[in-house]
Amino acid sequence: MNLFGLAPLLLILPLIGVFFNTVVGRRLVAADAPSGEKWSGWFATAMSGSAFIVAVLIFFSLPTVDYHAQTVVLWDWFNMPSTDFHVQWAMYFDTLSATMLLVVTGVGSLIHIYAIGYMHGDKDFARFFTYLNLFLFFMLILVTGNSYLMLFVGWEGVGLCSFLLIGFWYDKPNGVGILNGDAARKAFVANRVGDFAMIMAMSLTFWVFKTLEFEGVIETALHMFEEGGKAAPISFGMFTAEFQVVLSAITVLFLIGATGKSAQIPLFIWLPDAMAGPTPVSALIHAATMVTSGIYLITRSNVLFEIVRETGFQMAGIISVPDLVAVVGACTAVYAGLIAFTQFDVKKVLAYSTVSQLGFMIAAVGMGAYVAGMFHLITHAFFKALLFMGSGSIIHGMEHGHHHLHDHGHGGHGDDHHDDHHDDHHEDDFDPQDMRTMGGLWKKMPVTFGVYVIGSLALAGIFPFAGFWSKDEILAHAQVNEFAIFSFINIMLTIGAFCTAFYMTRQIKMVFFGEPRHEAAVHASESNRLMTRPLVFLAVLSVFGGFLNTPNFSEPEGYGSDYASEEKYEESGDHSETEAILAAGGSKTTFTLALEHWLEHSIQSFELTEEGVVHMPHTPIVLQYNVAVTSSIIAIGAILIAWFLVFRGYPMKPEDDDPLQAAPVIGTVWAFFQGLPLDSLYMNGWVKRVFLPLGEISNLIDWDFWHNFVHERLIRDTFVTSADFFSKVLDPLGVDGAVNGVGKSLRNFANGLRSTQTGNVGNYALGLFLGVAAVIAYFVFAA
Amino acid sequence: MIESSSILTVLTFLPIFGVAVILLLKPFNSENDLNIKVVANLTAVATFILSLVVLAMYDSSFAGLQMKHELNWIPALGVKYFFAVDGLSILMVMLTTFIMPLAIASSWNAIETQVKQYYIFLLLLEAGMMGVFLAQDLFFFYIFWEFTLVPMYFLIGIWGGKERVYASIKFFLYTMAGSLLMLVAILYMGLNAGTFSVPELIANYDLYSSAQSWLFWGFAVAFAIKVPLFPFHSWLPDAHTQAPTAGSIVLAGVLLKMGTYGFTRFNLPLFPEASAEAAPLMATLAIIGIIYGAILSFAQTDVKKLVAYSSISHLGFVMLGIFSLNEIGIQGAILQGVNHGLSTGALFFIVGIVYEQRHTRELSEFGGLWRAMPMYAVLSLVVTLSSMGLPGLNGFVGEFSILLGSIGGQTLGASPWIYTAFATTGVILAAIYLLKMYQGMFMGPLDNPKNQSLRDLNGGELAIMLSFLLFIVWIGIAPSGFFTMIDASVADLVTHMQPAIDAVVAANGG
């Protein structure tokens, strides 16, 4: 069954959706909202769903071609025949991209369905689905591109969609729309900083490897490493450097790119603001798919990162690139985790939580645990999409309650009050996202409550939910490694895990338990089935998703469990026995490590020996009981502490402080993290303090100095004065010759020009004329 | 090929034919000058169609000049009437014939006074620009080069904004003064070698090579002013803000490209060693232009001025590509010239549409236009993104090729990546100033009552926008056809320069 010919459909289908909603859907919704919304929403969903079916077919086609990567060429993109610069539009399918495909289209389709319910009544309903399909289109380009350049198309494209969707409600009244626009702009610019690094990385990659295709780059990299070792000279133009230095530069630039897209320190500042977008967007783009691009990029480039690890090259003699990746991830995991429990906005908690979880994944890929990173990416897509959509359901319920409150005087609530519920709920400063106004919602919204708890348990890493397995695999990697840096990462990630359990418990307690703290919470009601059904589905995935890659519970015979055994593998010389066991193990234990075996066709493991690069079998980590037990104890401990510590007094009003703020140590930490002006760092910091003044200064230099002073005052006026002098003083004195001749001819010229003007502009013209000639003469002779 | 020998002459002077027809129309003048408009539009479209014929006859695998039309003009001086086209100019010719009908069509309702003269000047301008891109004799070229100033001077001076006279004189004098040294250089070379024909001069390199360092600057200053390269840009904001919409479209779309074209056509092949030596300086000025132009652009509150300054930034990329002196950079630069013409031409058109209705260009006057003019907003977004260099649209194709070329820059020293790194910040800055513009115009609430009754695009405007967008997308997703057209000539140029480049590299101890 080889169905790769269907691949172009993955891109065509979402595009059809985009065109449908731009041209037809918009008009249908405008003509008749209820039926138009059905057409618009379900058409977009059908496109997304069909893409999912194609993805499944491709997934099942891969085994039939022996898991060999398949390339489907669409057409030439860049082609300069006289150079090596040749890039195609081509789709690349291996087990890694197939995995991403399933996540993107699968979770994406569920979110489409949910959004039909969530966006109901919005006047820009069709525009929303246009963007969702456009996003899907670019995300699919990102994960199926066969070259870095094509990946970059998707990379920027999803950034654009993110911009459009964050700024979706760009014209909300009371300045909210402007803030939304600011948030959108900030996200785009922060991502552009990462893109700067991507462009530099790709430029270097091209000159080093003479190609931008993944396969070519990886092959050439291994070859160069094998031939010349880490110090192989690289040269192009007048540039020369060692292989390890250039490769470190490339990989560190990829890391910077990833920190932009995947919201890591220092570029994560855009993600919390991105919550200004509609909640389905937060679930799809800012939790499940787009923000994981950085992890995908690094996993895709795993060979480059592993070569850098092998060379042992340390930047500035301090740290190697893969270690830096791990450290950045681990620090982000803790930092964002700490910020998360100072937040009161139900979505902001989840936003920082996402940053923190992305930190876990980045740390994993930095440690070389690519499969673990991907595993966490998948499970996180399940439970974080679930939590975001759950929070959307809560917000919806609260808005409903608030409307009920408002319309109480004149006859209940219904769909007719729904029409512009997104636009006018700011009339009395009621914030439906503030957790301090909630409380006791479990009775009002039982389904949402149920799935939310499941999602939280999965996120917190409680056995046997999905998050437990994936997070544990990452922690286990940090545990079993001998490198010193890994213990640091291990400690950081463990703290991160504690934070996770803590802030989720705090959130659940504030939202669902206790007494309602606002009238809106009293009247909140469960969301409709279009919204809750995808939630239930994701809840199921959050429970069972961990079985995608359950570890071996004990070490199979002859099976490596840690890095030390790789040496044994090498020493033994005869690999056939081990490989036989591996093969047998692979087929025998189909239940365990499914993802590991699936991805090992895409993620190479190798080592440089005297005979050159030797490809290694994957050595997955068996279940580390100590890690599992420790992390479970920590998570449960965090839940218990949070449960008994947080909000025993249940603040009644939005202005009330969290009791934790008064606690001795925690209070200080709290104040520190809440005091960080992270959200306004860009608009109020960078833009106001740096960029606006810079613009003012440049304007001063260019306009007031260069344009007005140099050109007008110095050059023009000098000439006009001297021309006056010549004509009024020297001319009457009878000075002839050169001066007179030149003056006359210029005068005639000026008179010619004067036909369209009045006054002394002619003098000005003359002045400028000679002045510029003088400037130019200066530049020529000075040069 | 006898037919081909005169087709470029026909192409160049076809717009003049249109001018003649308009002059003859006088007795039949209708009240609203409809016939003049029709003739002008038809002439521009006919020129475009004829240029398609040229394109069809063009052999992209042949590196040298083709479709030559070569006659002796002033035998005593060795001046020739010499038209020909090759990979360096074919895209510029097509850009000119493509932009002109759009610029002329965009004036349909915008120009109400002295209609006849207006269209005459636009058509004269087209003929002049065509001559600049096709003339292969320096003397002949210079005539066209100076000739283009006249119609542009009147277009700005008569149909421009409040300070049009000031701006037009500044434009005229600034660019003409810059050309004087080029004239001296041209005369020096021509009289020394006894010929002004560019191919013959290249063949007689020895006759003037000793003077090439000042000859290079004689040409370079003229072209740098036209580009404009920092610090010669001071005329640009005035000219752009005062010019009528069509004037700005042509100015940004084609006229500035005459400068970058001049570098590739004359400076590089005529003075290879001087070019290689000047590359670091030129690249540095280009990068200053990229960053400086972008920051200035951000500081503007007048939308048109914002777009004008962005040209300085964008043209900086083109200059960087040219002076990376390798195939990728130069090809990227040529294509980016086309891209800038399309994107910025379209941006000026966009500004013109809203200016026509509101008679203001202050950013603070707008906001929320998306709600009032959704179609206009969406198409503007695509153009803005193209200018910003979003991959999949044309801007990225040129920009990335240029950056790629610059990192392999042949004479940019041992760390060419430093140039690339600084230039790449332009990508971030472009997002900052263009999104500022976009957000300011289209996002936010539609709370200014004057904006609430704005009409969306009409049929004609939509057609013009879609014409721009066709190529914005086409070049974005399938540029290889465009690269193929210029590849052979650029490869030939680089091969021609290679010995000089190697000599300079060796002299600098590389």
Side-chain angles (χ1 to χ4, degrees):
Chain A
M1 190 174 65
N2 184 337
L3 296 168
F4 293 100
L6 293 176
L9 282 179
L10 284 172
L11 304 181
I12 294 168
L13 288 167
L15 269 191
I16 295 176
V18 171
F19 283 114
F20 176 83
N21 266 321
T22 327
V23 181
V24 186
R26 191 164 55 92
R27 299 204 165 86
L28 290 177
V29 175
D32 174 32
S35 80
E37 280 185 7
K38 280 204 182 78
W39 271 101
S40 167
W42 283 108
F43 192 91
T45 309
M47 291 303 112
S48 169
S50 313
F52 176 67
I53 292 168
V54 175
V56 170
L57 292 175
I58 282 171
F59 182 85
F60 283 113
S61 295
L62 271 173
T64 66
V65 292
D66 232 8
Y67 302 102
H68 288 306
Q70 302 290 311
T71 305
V72 179
V73 178
L74 303 176
W75 68 80
D76 254 5
W77 187 15
F78 284 87
N79 190 8
M80 298 185 190
S82 65
T83 69
D84 301 317
F85 189 32
H86 184 203
V87 181
Q88 293 171 313
W89 290 103
M91 303 171 81
Y92 182 78
F93 297 100
D94 62 357
T95 51
L96 178 59
S97 56
T99 310
M100 290 298 288
L101 272 181
L102 285 182
V103 174
V104 171
T105 54
V107 177
S109 299
L110 287 175
I111 294 172
H112 271 73
I113 298 172
Y114 171 88
I116 298 175
Y118 189 83
M119 296 305 289
H120 171 61
D122 197 288
K123 59 189 169 196
D124 289 318
F125 190 89
R127 188 159 63 88
F128 183 79
F129 280 92
T130 309
Y131 292 167
L132 275 196
N133 273 354
L134 189 67
F135 169 76
L136 202 62
F137 169 74
F138 279 120
M139 194 66 206
L140 291 173
I141 288 188
L142 197 160
V143 298
T144 62
N146 83 323
S147 63
Y148 283 106
L149 206 59
M150 198 169 152
L151 178 143
F152 189 66
V153 175
W155 187 273
E156 282 265 275
V158 292
L160 162 68
C161 296
S162 170
F163 166 80
L164 291 170
L165 283 160
I166 295 168
F168 184 76
W169 288 317
Y170 60 83
D171 64 348
K172 271 192 182 181
N174 304 335
V176 178
I178 290 167
L179 284 180
N180 289 349
D182 282 350
R185 196 165 110 199
K186 173 174 166 184
F188 200 100
V189 173
N191 271 302
R192 270 272 158 138
V193 176
D195 296 345
F196 162 86
M198 289 294 287
I199 290 178
M200 288 297 292
M202 289 191 295
S203 303
L204 272 174
T205 306
F206 174 79
W207 285 99
V208 174
F209 302 112
K210 298 287 181 239
T211 178
L212 284 169
E213 283 170 20
F214 299 132
E215 272 185 336
V217 168
I218 285 168
E219 214 172 279
T220 321
L222 281 173
H223 183 71
M224 287 168 102
F225 186 43
E226 206 167 43
E227 292 292 301
K230 58 187 183 179
I234 302 289
S235 68
F236 50 85
M238 287 169 79
F239 173 86
T240 48
E242 284 182 4
F243 181 60
Q244 54 178 355
V245 179
V246 181
L247 207 58
S248 290
I250 292 174
T251 45
V252 85
L253 287 166
F254 278 143
L255 168 64
I256 297 172
T259 57
K261 201 58 76 191
S262 290
Q264 298 296 292
I265 292 173
L267 293 178
F268 69 94
I269 48 156
W270 64 271
L271 187 61
D273 280 19
M275 297 302 126
T279 305
V281 172
S282 315
L284 178 61
I285 301 186
H286 303 123
T289 55
M290 182 187 89
V291 289
T292 61
S293 312
I295 291 95
Y296 173 73
L297 171 72
I298 295 177
T299 310
R300 187 45 92 196
S301 316
N302 66 78
V303 171
L304 303 186
F305 282 86
E306 288 309 304
I307 291 177
V308 173
R309 197 194 304 280
E310 285 277 335
T311 64
F313 179 75
Q314 302 197 315
M315 289 181 302
I318 299 171
I319 192 166
S320 78
V321 178
D323 287 349
L324 181 65
V325 175
V327 169
V328 166
C331 290
T332 311
V334 174
Y335 188 59
L338 287 173
I339 300 175
F341 65 78
T342 66
Q343 300 297 311
F344 290 112
D345 183 309
V346 65
K347 279 176 77 182
K348 285 254 167 86
V349 174
L350 294 177
Y352 282 109
S353 159
T354 304
V355 175
S356 167
Q357 296 303 308
L358 290 168
F360 272 87
M361 298 174 215
I362 292 277
V365 294
M367 292 187 295
Y370 301 102
V371 176
M374 287 299 294
F375 185 25
H376 198 55
L377 186 157
I378 296 167
T379 57
H380 178 258
F382 296 155
F383 55 66
K384 192 51 72 64
L386 165 63
L387 287 172
F388 264 118
M389 299 205 289
S391 77
S393 174
I394 294 166
I395 296 164
H396 223 256
M398 289 295 286
E399 281 177 350
H400 237 264
H402 187 237
H403 269 263
H404 178 85
L405 201 62
H406 259 256
D407 303 329
H408 209 59
H410 32 100
H413 69 280
D415 278 351
D416 46 336
H417 303 295
H418 226 113
D419 282 336
D420 41 13
H421 66 262
H422 288 300
D423 299 300
D424 59 5
H425 59 67
H426 287 276
E427 54 219 354
D428 58 355
D429 285 336
F430 166 71
D431 182 359
Q433 305 192 10
D434 193 329
M435 297 194 292
R436 285 167 295 190
T437 62
M438 299 174 187
L441 287 181
W442 73 273
K443 271 181 275 182
K444 308 284 178 189
M445 309 179 75
V447 181
T448 305
F449 169 64
V451 296
Y452 210 88
V453 168
I454 292 173
S456 302
L457 291 174
L459 174 59
I462 302 298
F463 179 85
F465 295 96
F468 168 79
W469 303 102
S470 55
K471 197 176 286 183
D472 242 42
E473 202 172 315
I474 296 174
L475 289 170
H477 263 277
Q479 176 88 7
V480 298
N481 268 288
E482 295 144 13
F483 301 113
I485 195 111
F486 281 37
S487 5
F488 167 75
I489 289 160
N490 192 11
I491 293 166
M492 292 298 274
L493 292 185
T494 310
I495 298 173
F498 177 86
C499 294
T500 312
F502 190 95
Y503 60 69
M504 284 319 294
T505 311
R506 169 175 175 267
Q507 184 175 46
I508 287 195
K509 198 173 176 194
M510 284 182 81
V511 172
F512 291 107
F513 291 96
E515 295 301 316
R517 294 184 293 272
H518 188 282
E519 282 297 301
V522 178
H523 297 284
S525 61
E526 184 59 281
S527 302
N528 60 33
R529 278 179 300 174
L530 270 179
M531 289 167 67
T532 51
R533 279 195 183 154
L535 290 179
V536 173
F537 200 84
L538 280 172
V540 173
L541 288 174
S542 301
V543 176
F544 297 108
F547 300 115
L548 268 179
N549 204 32
T550 19
N552 285 315
F553 290 90
S554 62
E555 233 171 283
E557 211 179 328
Y559 202 102
S561 72
D562 56 15
Y563 279 48
S565 69
E566 280 180 15
E567 284 156 31
K568 263 184 264 161
Y569 176 82
E570 278 308 311
E571 283 160 12
S572 68
D574 175 19
H575 301 159
S576 57
E577 190 190 337
T578 329
E579 270 156 18
I581 294 167
L582 270 175
S587 59
K588 231 190 310 179
T589 55
T590 42
F591 179 68
T592 58
L593 291 169
L595 187 68
E596 181 90 34
H597 291 306
W598 173 253
L599 284 178
E600 74 185 4
H601 301 288
S602 307
I603 298 169
Q604 303 191 34
S605 175
F606 62 89
E607 197 165 88
L608 186 70
T609 67
E610 280 157 14
E611 303 107 68
V613 172
V614 174
H615 289 266
M616 307 274 295
H618 272 234
T619 50
I621 288 174
V622 295
L623 183 66
Q624 302 285 313
Y625 286 101
N626 55 345
V627 174
V629 170
T630 320
S631 70
S632 294
I633 290 173
I634 284 173
I636 292 168
I639 290 174
L640 292 176
I641 293 172
W643 184 261
F644 289 110
L645 215 61
V646 177
F647 288 114
R648 263 171 308 177
Y650 298 115
M652 296 298 291
K653 285 178 302 220
E655 306 85 58
D656 285 351
D657 285 337
D658 189 317
L660 276 184
Q661 279 166 289
V665 183
I666 303 170
T668 320
V669 178
W670 180 292
F672 173 72
F673 281 107
Q674 213 182 28
L676 288 176
L678 287 168
D679 292 351
S680 57
L681 201 64
Y682 174 74
M683 282 297 165
N684 295 329
W686 169 244
V687 170
K688 285 228 174 78
R689 301 271 156 74
V690 180
F691 219 82
L692 279 178
L694 207 59
E696 296 289 307
I697 291 167
S698 304
N699 225 358
L700 205 68
I701 293 173
D702 197 68
W703 199 255
D704 294 325
F705 174 72
W706 187 239
H707 182 275
N708 286 344
F709 180 73
V710 175
H711 285 84
E712 309 289 302
R713 296 286 84 76
L714 280 186
I715 301 175
R716 183 188 73 171
D717 290 357
T718 310
F719 183 80
V720 170
T721 316
S722 52
D724 274 357
F725 178 71
F726 286 136
S727 63
K728 286 179 187 150
V729 183
L730 290 181
D731 224 25
L733 290 177
V735 177
D736 306 318
V739 175
N740 215 352
V742 170
K744 272 229 171 80
S745 60
L746 287 174
R747 188 78 52 82
N748 292 340
F749 176 67
N751 283 337
L753 294 178
R754 201 171 286 172
S755 58
T756 54
Q757 71 208 24
T758 56
N760 65 347
V761 189
N763 286 340
Y764 157 73
L766 288 173
L768 195 77
F769 174 72
L770 280 201
V772 170
V775 171
I776 287 154
Y778 168 76
F779 272 103
V780 171
F781 294 113
Chain B
M1 293 202 292
I2 288 164
E3 305 89 343
S4 71
S5 69
S6 58
I7 188 168
L8 296 180
T9 297
V10 178
L11 182 66
T12 307
F13 294 110
L14 190 57
I16 308 269
F17 178 74
V19 171
V21 173
I22 290 177
L23 287 171
L24 290 174
L25 279 176
K26 200 177 177 184
F28 315 104
N29 219 349
S30 69
E31 216 168 85
N32 53 4
D33 304 306
L34 184 68
N35 45 7
I36 294 173
K37 290 178 189 170
V38 170
V39 171
N41 278 283
L42 283 179
T43 309
V45 170
T47 313
F48 177 61
I49 291 170
L50 187 64
S51 72
L52 290 179
V53 176
V54 171
L55 188 65
M57 289 161 59
Y58 175 76
D59 177 5
S60 56
S61 62
F62 182 67
L65 296 169
Q66 35 188 311
M67 299 181 223
K68 290 184 190 171
H69 194 199
E70 195 172 357
L71 304 166
N72 281 327
W73 186 23
I74 314 175
L77 295 175
V79 175
K80 280 179 178 169
Y81 174 98
F82 186 5
F83 282 136
V85 69
D86 71 353
L88 301 178
S89 50
I90 184 74
L91 285 185
M92 294 296 127
V93 172
M94 297 311 296
L95 177 70
T96 310
T97 58
F98 177 74
I99 295 275
M100 284 311 294
L102 300 181
I104 289 178
S106 77
S107 319
W108 193 278
N109 293 326
I111 301 299
E112 287 157 349
T113 55
Q114 295 174 279
V115 174
K116 188 164 84 178
Q117 287 88 333
Y118 178 82
Y119 286 103
I120 287 176
F121 283 129
L122 271 178
L123 290 173
L124 286 176
L125 184 59
E126 176 164 25
M129 295 187 300
M130 203 69 77
V132 166
F133 292 131
L134 291 173
Q136 305 297 337
D137 179 283
L138 283 177
F139 198 90
F140 195 40
F141 161 79
Y142 188 79
I143 291 171
F144 283 110
W145 173 268
E146 291 292 282
F147 177 73
T148 54
L149 291 181
V150 179
M152 199 65 208
Y153 165 78
F154 286 109
L155 283 172
I156 299 174
I158 300 177
W159 294 274
K162 275 189 199 125
E163 296 171 41
R164 56 183 180 273
V165 175
Y166 161 78
S168 63
I169 292 178
K170 187 169 180 183
F171 163 78
F172 193 97
L173 291 178
Y174 209 121
T175 44
M176 200 186 72
S179 309
L180 288 179
L181 262 149
M182 180 164 76
L183 180 62
V184 176
I186 288 175
L187 291 175
Y188 175 87
M189 289 169 70
L191 297 176
N192 258 2
T195 177
F196 287 90
S197 151
V198 176
E200 286 171 31
L201 279 169
I202 293 173
N204 291 314
Y205 177 54
D206 295 339
L207 293 176
Y208 64 86
S209 62
S210 54
Q212 65 166 300
S213 48
W214 79 262
L215 291 173
F216 173 87
W217 286 107
F219 279 78
V221 169
F223 296 144
I225 288 175
K226 196 68 111 185
V227 167
L229 186 66
F230 173 88
F232 302 110
H233 59 275
S234 207
W235 62 272
L236 183 91
D238 288 315
H240 263 313
T241 39
Q242 298 307 320
T245 298
S248 288
I249 294 174
V250 180
L251 193 59
V254 188
L255 229 59
L256 306 186
K257 308 306 149 15
M258 287 170 28
T260 55
Y261 166 78
F263 278 104
T264 53
R265 165 68 71 205
F266 303 109
N267 282 60
L268 299 195
L270 286 173
F271 322 113
E273 272 171 42
S275 301
E277 268 163 14
L281 175 61
M282 298 302 277
T284 307
L285 290 178
I287 286 165
I288 294 175
I290 293 174
I291 296 170
Y292 187 67
I295 294 173
L296 278 166
S297 186
F298 177 80
Q300 305 309 314
T301 54
D302 177 323
V303 184
K304 205 170 180 190
K305 216 166 166 187
L306 189 152
V307 178
Y309 272 114
S310 82
S311 285
I312 298 172
S313 184
H314 280 112
L315 269 300
F317 276 102
V318 179
M319 291 304 293
L320 177 65
I322 291 174
F323 281 95
S324 55
L325 300 182
N326 56 25
E327 287 95 341
I328 299 180
I330 297 176
Q331 290 198 34
I334 293 176
L335 193 63
Q336 185 65 359
V338 176
N339 294 336
H340 173 262
L342 295 167
S343 311
T344 309
L347 278 177
F348 278 121
F349 180 60
I350 286 165
V351 177
I353 290 174
V354 82
Y355 179 74
E356 223 175 281
Q357 296 190 50
R358 285 281 278 104
H359 298 288
T360 179
R361 294 186 300 245
E362 277 301 307
L363 207 48
S364 55
E365 285 285 314
F366 299 115
L369 294 192
W370 197 318
R371 204 47 89 198
M373 316 165 77
M375 194 156 53
Y376 175 67
V378 170
L379 299 184
S380 302
L381 178 66
V382 181
V383 174
T384 308
L385 293 170
S386 124
S387 182
M388 210 188 290
L390 190 87
L393 298 174
N394 61 348
F396 176 74
V397 172
E399 238 169 59
F400 185 71
S401 307
I402 287 167
L403 294 170
L404 199 56
S406 71
I407 209 166
Q410 295 216 58
T411 58
L412 296 183
S415 308
W417 58 269
I418 293 177
Y419 291 89
T420 316
F422 276 104
T424 311
T425 57
V427 172
I428 305 173
L429 298 174
I432 294 177
Y433 66 77
L434 283 168
L435 286 182
K436 174 197 163 179
M437 179 193 87
Y438 195 80
Q439 191 190 356
M441 282 184 78
F442 295 102
M443 296 163 89
L446 183 65
D447 47 11
N448 187 334
K450 287 182 196 153
N451 291 333
Q452 282 160 358
S453 56
L454 291 178
R455 62 158 177 85
D456 209 341
L457 299 179
N458 61 30
E461 288 162 347
L462 181 64
I464 294 174
M465 281 296 274
L466 289 180
S467 311
F468 278 118
L469 286 171
L470 171 70
F471 282 92
I472 283 176
V473 174
W474 185 350
I475 298 179
I477 61 176
S480 45
F482 296 85
F483 282 128
T484 312
M485 275 188 250
I486 59 182
D487 185 77
S489 296
V490 171
D492 194 48
L493 172 64
V494 175
T495 316
H496 167 69
M497 294 186 71
Q498 201 60 53
I501 292 169
D502 292 340
V504 170
V505 169
N508 293 345

